Amino acid sequence: MESCEGQRIEDLGQRLLAALEGNSRLVILTHNNPDPDAFASACGLAAVINFLDPECRVQIAYGGIVGRSENRTMMRYLPFKVIPFSRVRGRDKIAYALVDTQPRAGNNVLPDDKFPAIVIDHHPPKSLTREALRQTPYVDIRSGYGSCTTIVTEYLQCVGVPITTALATSLVYGISSETQHLGREASQQDRRIYNELVPLVNMRRLSQIEFSRRPREHFLYIRDAVDNVFVYRQVIGSRLGPVDNPDVVAEVADFLLLHERMSWSVVTAYYDDKLIISLRAGNHRAHAGKVVRELIEKLGGTAGGHNQVAGGQLDCQGRSRSEIAQLDKSLIVDFLRQVTGVENVKTIKPLVSVELKDPWAEGDE
Ligand SMILES: [Mn+2]
């Protein structure tokens, strides 16, 4: 299904409801450590299902945490309550929908023995996810879309769901945050939907979300990240070591790419027994998703993404601290080798500090 246009409205509604196979409960799951695109998509889908079947009990749940200030503020204003997956009860009698992620993608908490009823996403499928998708009754993946929110907003329009101010505000923030105000990886559909939604938005609230106030810890993270920034040719990066807030990885990656001379940023950190990596590219044809998969999958991790935004994670359970530290280091060197083409990578220089710190040094946490 390419677009709602041309397709009969009843068909979309019927197909979504049919996928639930008579379940009176639906849990909409986002990817772990959900971002605005994931939250907005989940709320949009919840509104669609509520409209189609008011009897169906819909919950929105996520794995991981919501760490970023903007996302926490957004969460307060969402038109639906969102809860950690750990608080979902009676998991056996539920239909699942995944938004902004796919089964077996490695970044969601859908139990491995479960197949979702509905998957709506804009990430390119991988061979692992494809298999699970074959068992999923309703699949809509449009990797040409800059945000998953855009797909779901087309559903809202198609089915004729009234879009409240709170919903419109969430949807617009989902699209704008995912695409950096339509400047990054946005498609024509993202631009059209965004423009149609803007008149419905509470702009004051939108601004409050985007320019959220931050706690002191945020500044400590930024200080440590900046202190440890390295540059190598056109690449800028930072290794954060163990962190309490996984969202900081993507945030720092975005921040570093603001450097006027750099075309790639890379940030690694350690959270919840996983080494996580985030990539950003300035070029809209950089294939960052492919790059990170080549880097991470050969080590047994999961990764994915788009042209300019990508990330991955590597489960490190059972590895020693020094092994993880070594892995972290070699990941960066591998990445530098891959994107610069330099076989023997050396002289990675600090950007602002006198010398780079080892974020894994004992007693330095
Ligand atoms: Mn997304």
Side-chain angles (χ1 to χ4, degrees):
M1 186 180 65
E2 272 313 307
S3 137
C4 177
E5 284 152 38
Q7 120 159 308
R8 289 184 31 234
I9 292 167
E10 313 85 74
D11 287 354
L12 174 63
Q14 267 169 23
R15 287 174 52 222
L16 283 168
L17 290 183
L20 302 184
E21 290 168 347
N23 268 293
S24 58
R25 274 186 74 193
L26 172 69
V27 168
I28 302 175
L29 263 183
T30 67
H31 54 72
N32 297 342
N33 315 318
D35 61 12
D37 188 31
F39 274 153
S41 305
C43 288
L45 181 61
V48 168
I49 300 292
N50 264 341
F51 182 83
L52 290 170
D53 180 8
E55 303 288 295
C56 184
R57 186 172 159 228
V58 183
Q59 281 179 304
I60 300 173
Y62 61 90
I65 66 159
V66 183
R68 197 164 169 161
S69 297
E70 297 94 313
N71 303 359
R72 296 171 76 93
T73 309
M74 178 194 197
M75 194 161 75
R76 286 213 304 274
Y77 297 143
L78 290 173
F80 295 91
K81 197 173 151 195
V82 294
I83 57 172
F85 185 60
S86 58
R87 280 178 39 202
V88 172
R89 299 281 166 251
R91 292 178 194 174
D92 287 334
K93 290 161 276 174
I94 305 178
Y96 289 93
L98 293 186
V99 291
D100 208 22
T101 179
Q102 294 170 31
R104 313 283 189 274
N107 67 345
N108 64 66
V109 288
L110 181 76
D112 265 347
D113 60 336
K114 291 251 181 308
F115 290 105
I118 297 170
V119 175
I120 302 169
D121 192 15
H122 70 133
H123 294 90
K126 306 182 279 191
S127 46
L128 253 176
T129 64
R130 262 196 205 102
E131 220 168 285
L133 289 172
R134 272 197 282 274
Q135 321 252 9
T136 305
Y138 186 95
V139 178
D140 187 359
I141 292 172
R142 307 186 203 177
S143 43
Y145 278 48
S147 80
C148 189
T149 304
T150 300
I151 306 174
V152 174
T153 309
E154 287 188 8
Y155 284 23
L156 289 161
Q157 293 183 338
C158 195
V159 174
V161 183
I163 299 181
T164 61
T165 305
L167 183 54
T169 307
S170 309
L171 296 168
V172 160
Y173 188 61
I175 298 171
S176 74
S177 127
E178 184 84 357
T179 63
Q180 292 193 329
H181 295 279
L182 300 173
R184 183 180 69 187
E185 293 177 341
S187 67
Q188 181 203 321
Q189 289 88 343
D190 297 298
R191 286 188 289 272
R192 180 176 58 82
I193 290 291
Y194 179 95
N195 287 326
E196 288 171 9
L197 287 170
V198 160
L200 310 176
V201 165
N202 179 338
M203 295 308 276
R204 191 161 164 268
R205 183 137 290 180
L206 182 63
S207 170
Q208 281 169 349
I209 295 170
E210 181 161 0
F211 300 98
S212 292
R213 300 299 192 98
R214 285 123 220 264
R216 177 174 183 266
E217 294 79 59
H218 176 78
F219 298 91
L220 297 176
Y221 272 126
I222 296 296
R223 180 198 61 187
D224 290 347
V226 169
D227 230 21
N228 220 19
V229 169
F230 63 82
V231 287
Y232 185 78
R233 299 206 169 186
Q234 74 276 29
V235 183
I236 185 165
S238 190
R239 291 193 299 138
L240 309 181
V243 295
D244 302 320
N245 172 6
D247 282 357
V248 77
V249 186
E251 188 169 4
V252 171
D254 281 333
F255 176 63
L256 295 185
L257 198 64
L258 294 174
H259 190 299
E260 59 187 357
R261 289 186 45 243
M262 299 297 158
S263 47
W264 282 95
S265 70
V266 54
V267 178
T268 60
Y270 193 70
Y271 175 78
D272 191 24
D273 293 328
K274 290 180 194 74
L275 198 53
I276 43 188
I277 183 168
S278 204
L279 296 186
R280 295 292 183 273
N283 186 316
H284 66 282
R285 279 193 281 267
H287 303 296
K290 221 177 119 207
V291 171
V292 76
R293 287 181 57 191
E294 271 166 37
L295 217 57
I296 294 287
E297 285 178 356
K298 65 176 176 218
L299 299 169
T302 53
H306 313 270
N307 264 312
Q308 294 181 265
V309 181
Q313 51 269 313
L314 197 58
D315 203 322
C316 292
Q317 250 173 6
R319 289 185 206 250
S320 72
R321 189 182 170 97
S322 65
E323 276 176 321
I324 301 165
Q326 192 49 48
L327 210 52
D328 184 20
K329 232 184 257 172
S330 62
L331 211 53
I332 295 286
V333 174
D334 260 11
F335 171 71
L336 293 174
R337 201 178 285 137
Q338 202 169 328
V339 297
T340 63
V342 177
E343 207 33 58
N344 189 11
V345 173
K346 41 189 178 190
T347 59
I348 299 173
K349 291 200 198 92
L351 179 75
V352 289
S353 55
V354 178
E355 66 177 6
L356 293 168
K357 278 190 315 190
D358 178 4
W360 290 95
E362 290 299 338
D364 201 38
E365 232 171 282

